[in-house]
Amino acid sequence: MKTLLTALFASTLFLNPAVRAAETGGVGAILQETKEGQLAIGSLMRGGPADKGGLLKKGDVLLSIREEGGEPVSLAGLDTEGAAKKIRGEIGTTLTFKVKRGEEEVEVAVTRGKISMKPEAPKVPQVGEAAPDISFVRLSDGKEEKVSDHAGKVRVIDFWATWCGPCQAPMGKMQTYAEKHPEFGDKVVFIACSVDQDKDRLVKHLETKGWNKTHNVWDDDRENDAYGVTGIPTVFIIDADGKIAASGHPGTMDIPGIVGKLLEKK
């Protein structure tokens, strides 16, 4: 709970109307404390300066920041509130972040901008439109793959998370579809795409539940934004031609029925 509260507090600081009135802006990052006590990017505000440029990434651990022409300032020992105060500054100025991303340290420069109280609404791909070709991490071997790697098949993508109560029953049910419908064979792939932040927790949860009948992947870089996902669970069914055939809450959809009809059209 501490992580959640600190992340929300940082968000409140970035959205403070009084700050905007003084022409002070931010980078659109919501901070959180890791379990090791470090500061990290919890998420990015959709359409914000860092999000638009693809510069900062969710999970980046913040080491230091540097103003234009200034010296690096360490963020060690600061809480989310203290770091947020240092990150905010005059709109149009550039702040360089030194972050740890995986095993390497990188520097990224972000120009502060005005942070909107109403972030840009995500666009949900509609039936008949081309399915976004997002990438994710395959949990079986840690390699990256894309939706298009399963081209020619009917693809059922279930966006879910271990901490999401309403996700558990549909995820468990999805484990049964292949066995109950042998006619699907290799013409259908059920992709369980987790939006968890903690990969280790995800893997342990899958092992505990015995959920190995789906193609389990991890959306480690918020790629689900391309599908306009604002709530989970959410399922998208993609036909063999790569077009959106159906979408919605898996608990209210006849997924096998929809898949069966798509296969009949082939």
Side-chain angles (χ1 to χ4, degrees), residues 58-167:
K58 182 177 74 174
D60 282 350
V61 175
L62 305 183
L63 302 177
S64 66
I65 55 174
R66 175 169 52 83
E67 298 281 359
E68 295 178 77
E71 295 295 322
V73 176
S74 173
L75 296 178
L78 293 179
D79 59 13
T80 54
E81 179 184 1
K85 288 179 179 179
K86 289 185 176 296
I87 290 171
R88 287 177 290 150
E90 184 179 349
I91 291 175
T93 57
T94 299
L95 189 65
T96 298
F97 291 79
K98 185 175 183 180
V99 303
K100 185 174 182 181
R101 183 175 297 163
E103 297 301 318
E104 62 178 341
E105 294 183 1
V106 298
E107 287 194 349
V108 292
V110 183
T111 300
R112 295 181 176 103
K114 189 173 182 178
I115 305 302
S116 173
M117 288 289 287
K118 295 182 179 180
E120 180 182 339
K123 181 182 182 300
V124 179
Q126 302 299 305
V127 171
E129 294 182 350
D133 191 21
I134 65 173
S135 60
F136 29 63
V137 175
R138 190 166 56 217
L139 290 176
S140 60
D141 58 11
K143 293 184 178 180
E144 183 177 291
E145 68 174 34
K146 292 186 175 182
V147 173
S148 59
D149 290 338
H150 303 280
K153 297 183 180 183
V154 173
R155 286 147 282 183
V156 179
I157 305 180
D158 177 20
F159 291 102
W160 75 290
T162 60
W163 45 262
C164 166
C167 294

Side-chain angles (χ1 to χ4, degrees), residues 174-184 190 213:
M174 198 165 295
Q175 307 301 308
T176 69
Y177 291 153
E179 184 176 353
K180 288 183 177 180
H181 299 274
E183 70 275 14
F184 290 172
F190 294 96
K213 301 298 189 297

